[in-house]
Amino acid sequence: RVKVAALDGVLAKQIKGAREAVQMLVSYQDVEVRRRAVKASIDLMEPGEAVESLDLLSSLLYDQDVPIKLAAIKAISTVRDRRAIVAISGVVIDRSAEVKLAALDALAATGDKEALEGIQKAVFDDDKTIRIAALNATEKLGRKEAIDFLNELLRLETDPDIHAKAEAVVKALIAL
């Protein structure tokens, strides 16, 4: 409880000098302490500082706690660097649908060709909702490089909803 209260105080007062101590708690055993430490670490970052903390943020993507993963995705998505795209691409196969969806949204928002590989992994997910979200992310990404992949998917896909969505995405990408 003391650590939770201390982290709440650091957050409330935005104590920048506590950043190093806070970062030591992001791997603490208690989930409430970890959540607050992650929030404080991210909230205390200066604009553009996430790139310097990319290793720490990337490690948080593999925490067992979904809110921590989501916070990490949000922070990493502000970094315009190939390493950030690779890190987020790694969690499109997470157990949590919420994490997968957040990762897909973050990858699609980059507009970067490098994000395509991560998005494509999710097209083969067991969950149809994730598969549709991956196709939506492909469309939002807006990269014509995806057309060959989508044409191959269309050739193999048996689910009519997935097939229809893939066709729509191909048409949208061709129209770009």
Side-chain angles (χ1 to χ4, degrees), residues 70 73 88 91-107 122 125-127 130 133-134:
L70 295 174
I73 290 169
I88 294 172
V91 292
V92 297
I93 58 170
D94 194 83
R95 281 183 267 170
S96 164
E98 192 176 3
V99 170
K100 292 175 190 179
L101 293 171
L104 288 168
D105 285 344
L107 289 170
D125 198 273
D126 292 335
D127 183 342
I130 301 299

Side-chain angles (χ1 to χ4, degrees), residues 4 7-8 11 31-41:
V4 169
L7 288 164
D8 287 344
L11 268 169
V31 71
E32 285 305 317
V33 171
R34 278 199 329 272
R35 283 181 186 165
R36 283 182 171 80
V38 167
K39 181 170 178 24
S41 290

Side-chain angles (χ1 to χ4, degrees), residues 6-37:
L7 288 164
D8 287 344
V10 167
L11 268 169
K13 296 194 181 277
Q14 290 290 298
I15 303 171
K16 303 279 185 202
R19 288 170 28 174
E20 192 174 312
V22 167
Q23 286 185 350
M24 290 175 35
L25 294 174
V26 298
S27 59
Y28 197 76
Q29 185 175 1
D30 181 79
V31 71
E32 285 305 317
V33 171
R34 278 199 329 272
R35 283 181 186 165
R36 283 182 171 80

Side-chain angles (χ1 to χ4, degrees), residues 106-165:
L107 289 170
T110 67
D112 193 306
K113 176 183 166 184
E114 299 292 327
L116 195 53
E117 186 178 331
I119 292 170
Q120 287 173 345
K121 282 191 260 183
V123 171
F124 300 106
D125 198 273
D126 292 335
D127 183 342
K128 186 173 177 175
T129 305
I130 301 299
R131 296 181 74 199
I132 295 287
L135 290 168
N136 286 331
T138 302
E139 183 175 0
K140 182 178 176 186
L141 187 67
R143 303 299 302 208
K144 288 188 178 204
E145 294 90 343
I147 293 173
D148 288 340
F149 169 79
L150 292 169
N151 282 331
E152 184 65 19
L153 177 67
L154 286 168
R155 194 175 67 72
L156 301 171
E157 186 58 52
T158 58
D159 183 297
D161 296 330
I162 301 292
H163 199 277
K165 181 61 188 175

Side-chain angles (χ1 to χ4, degrees), residues 56-74:
L56 170 68
L57 293 169
S58 295
S59 72
L60 296 174
L61 294 172
Y62 298 98
D63 194 279
Q64 296 299 311
D65 188 59
V66 170
I68 289 174
K69 292 177 186 184
L70 295 174
I73 290 169
K74 184 177 178 183

